[in-house]
Amino acid sequence: TEGPTSDAQGNIFFTDQPNDKIWKYGTDGKLSVFMENSGRSNGLYFDRKGNLLACADEKNELWSISPTKKITVLIKDSNGKKLNGPNDLWVHPGGTIYFTDPYYQRPWWTRKTPDIEGEKVYLLREKDKKPVVASDDVVKPNGIVGTPDGNYLYVADIGAGKTYRYYIEKDGSLNNRQLFAEQGSDGITLDNKGN
């Protein structure tokens, strides 16, 4: 299982990557399959419109899945090159999507090496159609989350064994990287007290 997130009603969604499914654990206590053939999704996050955003690892894409399960591919490459494998994502209150792109060789891929040099953090603004490198000063970024006020972004660098905090500028770019913890991790989130 991977990538848990919840919708506005409190239903929890998570992925079963090897079996290519997204599951839903409802507020009614019932567990059901939300989607089969989910692009071997990894990290999930809901946008402001109620669409489920998914790091679709099968073809290294970023998907938007509508409440009626219509799939829109938001990103399929970066300047014609396949992404390493979008892993986790967070949506800024203003709509900008931030996602990590580490390289983990998957058994369902035919390629054996990455198309892109380096493992980076990207951003995708609503007005743009292609991702922009937000940070390339990490070894292997994995978990990612931002503060509710949209001012700070936390990135877990599992490759370096560290977690960093960035200031988010008005244009969405990241600035003032600071070491937050001498600890890397996979997924991360914030509680209601900011921990």
Side-chain angles (χ1 to χ4, degrees):
T1 58
E2 276 281 2
T5 193
S6 61
D7 64 13
Q9 291 74 45
N11 300 295
I12 300 167
F13 294 75
F14 62 92
T15 62
D16 177 356
Q17 198 175 38
N19 293 307
D20 200 13
K21 296 176 182 176
I22 297 175
W23 288 80
K24 174 184 175 183
Y25 182 70
T27 55
D28 58 2
K30 293 181 180 173
L31 182 65
S32 60
V33 174
F34 172 73
M35 176 177 278
E36 303 257 12
N37 303 314
S38 66
R40 293 197 187 269
S41 288
N42 196 337
L44 303 173
Y45 201 88
F46 277 93
D47 69 11
R48 298 172 300 175
K49 299 171 184 171
N51 299 306
L52 181 60
L53 304 184
C55 294
D57 194 65
E58 185 172 29
K59 294 181 182 175
N60 316 103
E61 298 171 332
L62 198 64
W63 286 6
S64 175
I65 305 166
S66 76
T68 59
K69 302 181 188 175
K70 179 181 182 244
I71 297 168
T72 302
V73 178
L74 300 177
I75 302 172
K76 65 182 179 103
D77 60 38
S78 177
N79 295 320
K81 294 183 177 180
K82 274 190 177 296
L83 292 164
N84 290 328
N87 185 279
D88 200 4
L89 73 162
W90 174 75
V91 183
H92 187 275
T96 298
I97 300 167
Y98 293 85
F99 68 95
T100 56
D101 188 43
Y103 188 85
Y104 292 102
Q105 183 65 46
R106 304 298 191 190
W108 48 84
W109 292 347
T110 55
R111 67 174 174 163
K112 300 298 181 193
T113 57
D115 290 3
I116 297 172
E117 188 176 332
E119 303 175 45
K120 304 166 187 163
V121 178
Y122 290 87
L123 65 86
L124 179 68
R125 298 179 185 93
E126 285 186 302
K127 60 180 177 144
D128 297 335
K129 298 297 180 196
K130 61 181 184 177
V132 175
V133 174
S135 173
D136 59 3
D137 55 0
V138 287
V139 178
K140 187 183 279 293
N142 199 308
I144 189 168
V145 69
T147 55
D149 60 13
N151 288 334
Y152 295 97
L153 184 74
Y154 292 90
V155 176
D157 187 343
I158 200 168
K162 301 183 187 311
T163 299
Y164 299 105
R165 185 177 82 169
Y166 297 81
Y167 178 72
I168 302 172
E169 299 286 356
K170 298 286 185 206
D171 65 356
S173 62
L174 302 180
N175 198 358
N176 193 28
R177 182 182 87 160
Q178 294 182 332
L179 178 64
F180 178 73
E182 290 276 2
Q183 176 68 51
S185 61
D186 196 319
I188 54 176
T189 194
L190 294 172
D191 69 9
N192 62 345
K193 296 179 181 177
N195 299 308

